[in-house]
mmCIF file of all heavy atoms in Angstrom:
data_model
loop_
_atom_site.group_PDB
_atom_site.id
_atom_site.type_symbol
_atom_site.label_atom_id
_atom_site.label_comp_id
_atom_site.label_asym_id
_atom_site.label_seq_id
_atom_site.Cartn_x
_atom_site.Cartn_y
_atom_site.Cartn_z
ATOM 1 N N TYR A 235 4.094 25.840 4.675
ATOM 2 C CA TYR A 235 4.453 24.660 3.877
ATOM 3 C C TYR A 235 3.943 24.847 2.460
ATOM 4 O O TYR A 235 2.988 25.593 2.205
ATOM 5 C CB TYR A 235 3.762 23.440 4.443
ATOM 6 C CG TYR A 235 4.284 22.894 5.756
ATOM 7 C CD1 TYR A 235 3.774 23.365 6.976
ATOM 8 C CD2 TYR A 235 5.300 21.916 5.797
ATOM 9 C CE1 TYR A 235 4.216 22.887 8.140
ATOM 10 C CE2 TYR A 235 5.769 21.421 6.968
ATOM 11 C CZ TYR A 235 5.216 21.920 8.171
ATOM 12 O OH TYR A 235 5.718 21.411 9.395
ATOM 13 N N GLN A 237 2.743 22.247 -0.857
ATOM 14 C CA GLN A 237 2.409 20.833 -1.141
ATOM 15 C C GLN A 237 2.319 20.683 -2.616
ATOM 16 O O GLN A 237 1.545 21.337 -3.329
ATOM 17 C CB GLN A 237 1.093 20.410 -0.517
ATOM 18 C CG GLN A 237 0.788 18.928 -0.672
ATOM 19 C CD GLN A 237 -0.433 18.475 0.118
ATOM 20 O OE1 GLN A 237 -1.409 19.236 0.259
ATOM 21 N NE2 GLN A 237 -0.431 17.291 0.615
ATOM 22 N N GLY A 240 3.024 14.205 -5.268
ATOM 23 C CA GLY A 240 4.139 13.263 -5.089
ATOM 24 C C GLY A 240 5.278 13.705 -4.164
ATOM 25 O O GLY A 240 6.216 12.953 -4.002
ATOM 26 N N MET A 241 5.134 14.924 -3.614
ATOM 27 C CA MET A 241 6.271 15.424 -2.798
ATOM 28 C C MET A 241 5.985 15.544 -1.325
ATOM 29 O O MET A 241 6.888 15.623 -0.541
ATOM 30 C CB MET A 241 6.641 16.834 -3.328
ATOM 31 C CG MET A 241 7.134 16.896 -4.687
ATOM 32 S SD MET A 241 8.735 16.132 -4.855
ATOM 33 C CE MET A 241 9.790 17.168 -3.879
ATOM 34 N N GLY A 242 4.719 15.502 -0.961
ATOM 35 C CA GLY A 242 4.465 15.754 0.440
ATOM 36 C C GLY A 242 4.576 17.213 0.785
ATOM 37 O O GLY A 242 5.037 18.010 -0.021
ATOM 38 N N LEU A 243 4.244 17.582 1.981
ATOM 39 C CA LEU A 243 4.395 18.956 2.414
ATOM 40 C C LEU A 243 5.804 19.223 2.756
ATOM 41 O O LEU A 243 6.522 18.435 3.381
ATOM 42 C CB LEU A 243 3.537 19.207 3.671
ATOM 43 C CG LEU A 243 2.064 19.455 3.472
ATOM 44 C CD1 LEU A 243 1.298 18.213 3.410
ATOM 45 C CD2 LEU A 243 1.504 20.374 4.553
ATOM 46 N N LEU A 245 8.504 22.248 4.312
ATOM 47 C CA LEU A 245 8.575 23.437 5.094
ATOM 48 C C LEU A 245 9.344 24.526 4.412
ATOM 49 O O LEU A 245 10.495 24.324 4.012
ATOM 50 C CB LEU A 245 9.222 23.137 6.474
ATOM 51 C CG LEU A 245 9.216 24.235 7.491
ATOM 52 C CD1 LEU A 245 7.782 24.675 7.864
ATOM 53 C CD2 LEU A 245 10.000 23.822 8.726
ATOM 54 N N TYR A 248 9.542 29.057 9.073
ATOM 55 C CA TYR A 248 8.768 28.939 10.275
ATOM 56 C C TYR A 248 9.144 30.057 11.251
ATOM 57 O O TYR A 248 10.144 30.739 11.063
ATOM 58 C CB TYR A 248 8.947 27.560 10.931
ATOM 59 C CG TYR A 248 10.306 27.237 11.397
ATOM 60 C CD1 TYR A 248 10.659 27.339 12.724
ATOM 61 C CD2 TYR A 248 11.297 26.791 10.508
ATOM 62 C CE1 TYR A 248 11.950 27.016 13.205
ATOM 63 C CE2 TYR A 248 12.547 26.447 10.925
ATOM 64 C CZ TYR A 248 12.912 26.542 12.271
ATOM 65 O OH TYR A 248 14.182 26.235 12.713
ATOM 66 N N LYS A 257 14.546 29.638 8.457
ATOM 67 C CA LYS A 257 14.409 28.932 7.127
ATOM 68 C C LYS A 257 14.086 27.482 7.368
ATOM 69 O O LYS A 257 14.585 26.830 8.319
ATOM 70 C CB LYS A 257 15.733 29.030 6.320
ATOM 71 C CG LYS A 257 16.077 30.435 5.848
ATOM 72 C CD LYS A 257 17.329 30.481 5.070
ATOM 73 C CE LYS A 257 17.666 31.881 4.618
ATOM 74 N NZ LYS A 257 18.918 31.937 3.821
ATOM 75 N N GLU A 259 12.989 23.840 4.898
ATOM 76 C CA GLU A 259 13.625 22.957 3.889
ATOM 77 C C GLU A 259 13.779 23.566 2.539
ATOM 78 O O GLU A 259 14.790 23.336 1.853
ATOM 79 C CB GLU A 259 12.747 21.682 3.841
ATOM 80 C CG GLU A 259 13.296 20.529 3.010
ATOM 81 C CD GLU A 259 12.288 19.385 2.964
ATOM 82 O OE1 GLU A 259 11.168 19.492 3.586
ATOM 83 O OE2 GLU A 259 12.544 18.375 2.291
ATOM 84 N N PHE A 290 0.198 25.903 2.563
ATOM 85 C CA PHE A 290 -0.521 25.729 3.841
ATOM 86 C C PHE A 290 0.248 26.419 4.924
ATOM 87 O O PHE A 290 1.443 26.260 5.070
ATOM 88 C CB PHE A 290 -0.638 24.236 4.173
ATOM 89 C CG PHE A 290 -1.662 23.494 3.388
ATOM 90 C CD1 PHE A 290 -1.240 22.704 2.322
ATOM 91 C CD2 PHE A 290 -3.004 23.591 3.693
ATOM 92 C CE1 PHE A 290 -2.167 22.003 1.543
ATOM 93 C CE2 PHE A 290 -3.953 22.844 2.940
ATOM 94 C CZ PHE A 290 -3.535 22.084 1.892
ATOM 95 N N GLY A 298 8.425 22.128 17.232
ATOM 96 C CA GLY A 298 8.786 20.945 16.501
ATOM 97 C C GLY A 298 7.672 19.966 16.359
ATOM 98 O O GLY A 298 6.612 20.276 15.920
ATOM 99 N N GLY A 299 7.869 18.744 16.772
ATOM 100 C CA GLY A 299 6.852 17.717 16.694
ATOM 101 C C GLY A 299 6.117 17.453 17.997
ATOM 102 O O GLY A 299 5.454 16.440 18.064
ATOM 103 N N GLU A 302 0.439 19.198 18.208
ATOM 104 C CA GLU A 302 -0.372 19.023 16.983
ATOM 105 C C GLU A 302 -0.245 20.305 16.127
ATOM 106 O O GLU A 302 -0.253 21.404 16.618
ATOM 107 C CB GLU A 302 -1.815 18.790 17.360
ATOM 108 C CG GLU A 302 -2.758 18.635 16.198
ATOM 109 C CD GLU A 302 -4.211 18.415 16.655
ATOM 110 O OE1 GLU A 302 -4.432 18.290 17.857
ATOM 111 O OE2 GLU A 302 -5.071 18.447 15.773
ATOM 112 N N LEU A 303 -0.105 20.077 14.815
ATOM 113 C CA LEU A 303 -0.141 21.140 13.858
ATOM 114 C C LEU A 303 -1.625 21.408 13.459
ATOM 115 O O LEU A 303 -2.315 20.481 13.078
ATOM 116 C CB LEU A 303 0.664 20.815 12.642
ATOM 117 C CG LEU A 303 2.188 20.741 12.794
ATOM 118 C CD1 LEU A 303 2.832 20.245 11.526
ATOM 119 C CD2 LEU A 303 2.743 22.116 13.182
ATOM 120 N N PHE A 305 -3.765 23.367 10.675
ATOM 121 C CA PHE A 305 -3.566 23.936 9.357
ATOM 122 C C PHE A 305 -4.694 24.808 8.905
ATOM 123 O O PHE A 305 -5.830 24.633 9.305
ATOM 124 C CB PHE A 305 -3.441 22.783 8.326
ATOM 125 C CG PHE A 305 -2.130 22.061 8.350
ATOM 126 C CD1 PHE A 305 -2.024 20.943 9.173
ATOM 127 C CD2 PHE A 305 -1.070 22.460 7.543
ATOM 128 C CE1 PHE A 305 -0.839 20.238 9.220
ATOM 129 C CE2 PHE A 305 0.152 21.744 7.581
ATOM 130 C CZ PHE A 305 0.280 20.653 8.393
ATOM 131 N N GLY A 306 -4.324 25.841 8.122
ATOM 132 C CA GLY A 306 -5.362 26.576 7.373
ATOM 133 C C GLY A 306 -5.826 25.785 6.215
ATOM 134 O O GLY A 306 -5.353 24.658 5.916
ATOM 135 N N GLU A 307 -6.813 26.320 5.489
ATOM 136 C CA GLU A 307 -7.457 25.618 4.380
ATOM 137 C C GLU A 307 -6.641 25.568 3.126
ATOM 138 O O GLU A 307 -6.995 24.841 2.191
ATOM 139 C CB GLU A 307 -8.815 26.183 4.137
ATOM 140 C CG GLU A 307 -9.820 26.018 5.238
ATOM 141 C CD GLU A 307 -11.181 26.582 4.892
ATOM 142 O OE1 GLU A 307 -11.277 27.512 4.120
ATOM 143 O OE2 GLU A 307 -12.165 26.095 5.483
ATOM 144 N N ARG A 310 -4.152 28.212 -3.104
ATOM 145 C CA ARG A 310 -3.734 27.644 -4.402
ATOM 146 C C ARG A 310 -3.185 28.776 -5.239
ATOM 147 O O ARG A 310 -3.883 29.680 -5.636
ATOM 148 C CB ARG A 310 -4.879 27.002 -5.068
ATOM 149 C CG ARG A 310 -5.338 25.742 -4.315
ATOM 150 C CD ARG A 310 -6.470 25.037 -5.043
ATOM 151 N NE ARG A 310 -6.810 23.822 -4.323
ATOM 152 C CZ ARG A 310 -6.176 22.622 -4.472
ATOM 153 N NH1 ARG A 310 -5.258 22.543 -5.356
ATOM 154 N NH2 ARG A 310 -6.504 21.611 -3.732
ATOM 155 N N LYS B 272 14.106 10.388 -0.121
ATOM 156 C CA LYS B 272 13.196 11.197 0.710
ATOM 157 C C LYS B 272 13.394 10.751 2.152
ATOM 158 O O LYS B 272 13.607 9.560 2.418
ATOM 159 C CB LYS B 272 11.741 10.972 0.293
ATOM 160 C CG LYS B 272 11.418 11.548 -1.066
ATOM 161 C CD LYS B 272 9.936 11.252 -1.469
ATOM 162 C CE LYS B 272 9.675 11.691 -2.839
ATOM 163 N NZ LYS B 272 8.225 11.351 -3.196
ATOM 164 N N SER B 302 9.472 11.835 17.311
ATOM 165 C CA SER B 302 8.042 11.626 17.424
ATOM 166 C C SER B 302 7.414 11.434 16.061
ATOM 167 O O SER B 302 7.973 11.874 15.077
ATOM 168 C CB SER B 302 7.322 12.746 18.228
ATOM 169 O OG SER B 302 7.709 13.990 17.715
ATOM 170 N N PHE B 304 3.606 10.672 13.694
ATOM 171 C CA PHE B 304 2.200 10.939 13.648
ATOM 172 C C PHE B 304 1.606 10.413 12.373
ATOM 173 O O PHE B 304 2.339 10.283 11.345
ATOM 174 C CB PHE B 304 1.936 12.464 13.758
ATOM 175 C CG PHE B 304 2.664 13.136 14.859
ATOM 176 C CD1 PHE B 304 3.968 13.599 14.681
ATOM 177 C CD2 PHE B 304 1.988 13.366 16.091
ATOM 178 C CE1 PHE B 304 4.621 14.215 15.710
ATOM 179 C CE2 PHE B 304 2.687 14.023 17.097
ATOM 180 C CZ PHE B 304 4.009 14.416 16.944
ATOM 181 N N TYR B 306 -1.421 11.865 9.906
ATOM 182 C CA TYR B 306 -2.409 12.905 9.587
ATOM 183 C C TYR B 306 -3.245 12.373 8.458
ATOM 184 O O TYR B 306 -2.814 11.595 7.643
ATOM 185 C CB TYR B 306 -1.713 14.181 9.136
ATOM 186 C CG TYR B 306 -1.252 15.059 10.260
ATOM 187 C CD1 TYR B 306 -0.175 14.666 11.097
ATOM 188 C CD2 TYR B 306 -1.881 16.298 10.520
ATOM 189 C CE1 TYR B 306 0.265 15.518 12.105
ATOM 190 C CE2 TYR B 306 -1.453 17.121 11.552
ATOM 191 C CZ TYR B 306 -0.379 16.704 12.370
ATOM 192 O OH TYR B 306 0.032 17.522 13.392
ATOM 193 N N GLN B 308 -5.743 13.670 5.228
ATOM 194 C CA GLN B 308 -6.035 14.781 4.370
ATOM 195 C C GLN B 308 -7.120 14.385 3.361
ATOM 196 O O GLN B 308 -6.916 13.520 2.518
ATOM 197 C CB GLN B 308 -4.792 15.270 3.610
ATOM 198 C CG GLN B 308 -5.035 16.547 2.830
ATOM 199 C CD GLN B 308 -3.722 17.139 2.238
ATOM 200 O OE1 GLN B 308 -2.793 16.394 1.999
ATOM 201 N NE2 GLN B 308 -3.745 18.429 1.956
ATOM 202 N N ARG B 311 -8.495 18.081 -1.495
ATOM 203 C CA ARG B 311 -8.529 19.500 -1.574
ATOM 204 C C ARG B 311 -8.818 20.223 -0.236
ATOM 205 O O ARG B 311 -9.351 21.321 -0.149
ATOM 206 C CB ARG B 311 -9.540 20.003 -2.645
ATOM 207 C CG ARG B 311 -9.242 19.445 -4.019
ATOM 208 C CD ARG B 311 -10.242 19.882 -5.045
ATOM 209 N NE ARG B 311 -10.030 21.299 -5.421
ATOM 210 C CZ ARG B 311 -9.229 21.670 -6.425
ATOM 211 N NH1 ARG B 311 -8.473 20.795 -7.014
ATOM 212 N NH2 ARG B 311 -9.084 22.961 -6.732
ATOM 213 N N LYS B 312 -8.421 19.525 0.854
ATOM 214 C CA LYS B 312 -8.620 20.031 2.196
ATOM 215 C C LYS B 312 -7.242 20.060 2.883
ATOM 216 O O LYS B 312 -6.269 19.568 2.363
ATOM 217 C CB LYS B 312 -9.592 19.184 3.007
ATOM 218 C CG LYS B 312 -11.002 19.127 2.446
ATOM 219 C CD LYS B 312 -11.745 20.426 2.690
ATOM 220 C CE LYS B 312 -13.183 20.341 2.320
ATOM 221 N NZ LYS B 312 -13.899 21.614 2.564
ATOM 222 N N GLU B 313 -7.216 20.637 4.080
ATOM 223 C CA GLU B 313 -5.980 20.695 4.848
ATOM 224 C C GLU B 313 -5.783 19.398 5.652
ATOM 225 O O GLU B 313 -6.759 18.715 5.975
ATOM 226 C CB GLU B 313 -6.001 21.918 5.850
ATOM 227 C CG GLU B 313 -6.942 21.729 7.055
ATOM 228 C CD GLU B 313 -8.389 22.151 6.714
ATOM 229 O OE1 GLU B 313 -8.792 22.209 5.545
ATOM 230 O OE2 GLU B 313 -9.084 22.488 7.712
ATOM 231 N N PRO B 314 -4.517 19.044 5.938
ATOM 232 C CA PRO B 314 -4.288 17.891 6.803
ATOM 233 C C PRO B 314 -4.765 18.105 8.223
ATOM 234 O O PRO B 314 -4.730 19.206 8.776
ATOM 235 C CB PRO B 314 -2.735 17.803 6.786
ATOM 236 C CG PRO B 314 -2.272 18.598 5.659
ATOM 237 C CD PRO B 314 -3.273 19.675 5.511
ATOM 238 N N LEU B 316 -4.656 16.087 12.218
ATOM 239 C CA LEU B 316 -4.069 14.995 12.962
ATOM 240 C C LEU B 316 -5.069 13.862 13.153
ATOM 241 O O LEU B 316 -6.217 14.038 13.614
ATOM 242 C CB LEU B 316 -3.639 15.530 14.369
ATOM 243 C CG LEU B 316 -3.006 14.519 15.297
ATOM 244 C CD1 LEU B 316 -1.675 14.008 14.717
ATOM 245 C CD2 LEU B 316 -2.807 15.102 16.691
ATOM 246 N N LEU B 357 -1.148 10.719 5.708
ATOM 247 C CA LEU B 357 0.202 11.271 5.668
ATOM 248 C C LEU B 357 0.997 10.811 6.934
ATOM 249 O O LEU B 357 0.537 10.930 8.048
ATOM 250 C CB LEU B 357 0.185 12.790 5.703
ATOM 251 C CG LEU B 357 -0.690 13.509 4.659
ATOM 252 C CD1 LEU B 357 -0.701 15.010 4.871
ATOM 253 C CD2 LEU B 357 -0.251 13.152 3.236
ATOM 254 N N ASN B 361 9.014 13.759 13.269
ATOM 255 C CA ASN B 361 9.705 14.912 13.824
ATOM 256 C C ASN B 361 11.204 14.591 13.869
ATOM 257 O O ASN B 361 11.567 13.696 14.582
ATOM 258 C CB ASN B 361 9.196 15.241 15.199
ATOM 259 C CG ASN B 361 10.074 16.279 15.902
ATOM 260 O OD1 ASN B 361 10.773 17.016 15.268
ATOM 261 N ND2 ASN B 361 9.983 16.270 17.186
ATOM 262 N N ARG B 364 14.172 18.960 14.523
ATOM 263 C CA ARG B 364 14.147 20.379 14.178
ATOM 264 C C ARG B 364 12.838 20.779 13.588
ATOM 265 O O ARG B 364 12.309 21.884 13.902
ATOM 266 C CB ARG B 364 15.282 20.630 13.158
ATOM 267 C CG ARG B 364 15.602 22.094 12.921
ATOM 268 C CD ARG B 364 16.795 22.244 12.005
ATOM 269 N NE ARG B 364 16.501 21.907 10.638
ATOM 270 C CZ ARG B 364 16.021 22.799 9.775
ATOM 271 N NH1 ARG B 364 15.823 24.011 10.126
ATOM 272 N NH2 ARG B 364 15.783 22.431 8.540
ATOM 273 N N ASP B 365 12.281 19.972 12.779
ATOM 274 C CA ASP B 365 10.967 20.269 12.216
ATOM 275 C C ASP B 365 10.280 18.947 11.855
ATOM 276 O O ASP B 365 10.800 17.849 11.972
ATOM 277 C CB ASP B 365 11.074 21.195 11.019
ATOM 278 C CG ASP B 365 11.980 20.670 9.935
ATOM 279 O OD1 ASP B 365 11.931 19.440 9.635
ATOM 280 O OD2 ASP B 365 12.792 21.450 9.363
ATOM 281 N N MET B 366 9.052 19.076 11.350
ATOM 282 C CA MET B 366 8.296 17.929 10.940
ATOM 283 C C MET B 366 8.496 17.628 9.484
ATOM 284 O O MET B 366 8.527 18.538 8.656
ATOM 285 C CB MET B 366 6.761 18.262 11.164
ATOM 286 C CG MET B 366 6.432 18.663 12.531
ATOM 287 S SD MET B 366 6.167 17.311 13.590
ATOM 288 C CE MET B 366 4.366 17.258 13.584
ATOM 289 N N ARG B 367 8.678 16.327 9.196
ATOM 290 C CA ARG B 367 8.858 15.937 7.801
ATOM 291 C C ARG B 367 7.678 15.059 7.414
ATOM 292 O O ARG B 367 7.297 14.110 8.133
ATOM 293 C CB ARG B 367 10.183 15.223 7.611
ATOM 294 C CG ARG B 367 11.383 16.065 7.837
ATOM 295 C CD ARG B 367 11.462 17.219 6.798
ATOM 296 N NE ARG B 367 12.455 18.219 7.134
ATOM 297 C CZ ARG B 367 13.556 18.379 6.488
ATOM 298 N NH1 ARG B 367 13.856 17.552 5.481
ATOM 299 N NH2 ARG B 367 14.379 19.358 6.817
ATOM 300 N N PHE B 368 7.098 15.391 6.267
ATOM 301 C CA PHE B 368 5.865 14.717 5.783
ATOM 302 C C PHE B 368 6.232 13.736 4.702
ATOM 303 O O PHE B 368 6.942 14.031 3.774
ATOM 304 C CB PHE B 368 4.915 15.711 5.249
ATOM 305 C CG PHE B 368 4.182 16.529 6.304
ATOM 306 C CD1 PHE B 368 4.864 17.563 6.966
ATOM 307 C CD2 PHE B 368 2.874 16.289 6.654
ATOM 308 C CE1 PHE B 368 4.241 18.280 7.981
ATOM 309 C CE2 PHE B 368 2.249 17.036 7.609
ATOM 310 C CZ PHE B 368 2.917 18.016 8.292
ATOM 311 N N GLY B 369 5.567 12.562 4.724
ATOM 312 C CA GLY B 369 5.576 11.686 3.568
ATOM 313 C C GLY B 369 4.609 12.240 2.514
ATOM 314 O O GLY B 369 3.787 13.082 2.812
ATOM 315 N N ALA B 370 4.703 11.727 1.312
ATOM 316 C CA ALA B 370 3.887 12.176 0.226
ATOM 317 C C ALA B 370 2.441 11.725 0.339
ATOM 318 O O ALA B 370 1.533 12.204 -0.342
ATOM 319 C CB ALA B 370 4.426 11.773 -1.111
#
Side-chain angles (χ1 to χ4, degrees):
Chain A
Y235 289 89
Q237 186 174 35
M241 296 292 294
L243 280 86
L245 184 63
Y248 64 100
K257 293 181 180 180
E259 188 183 358
F290 286 100
E302 177 180 355
L303 291 174
F305 286 89
E307 293 182 334
R310 293 182 176 274
Chain B
K272 293 179 185 176
S302 49
F304 309 87
Y306 276 70
Q308 186 174 24
R311 301 179 76 86
K312 298 286 188 181
E313 73 273 23
L316 179 66
L357 309 177
N361 170 23
R364 193 174 73 88
D365 56 43
M366 304 275 260
R367 293 298 168 107
F368 286 75

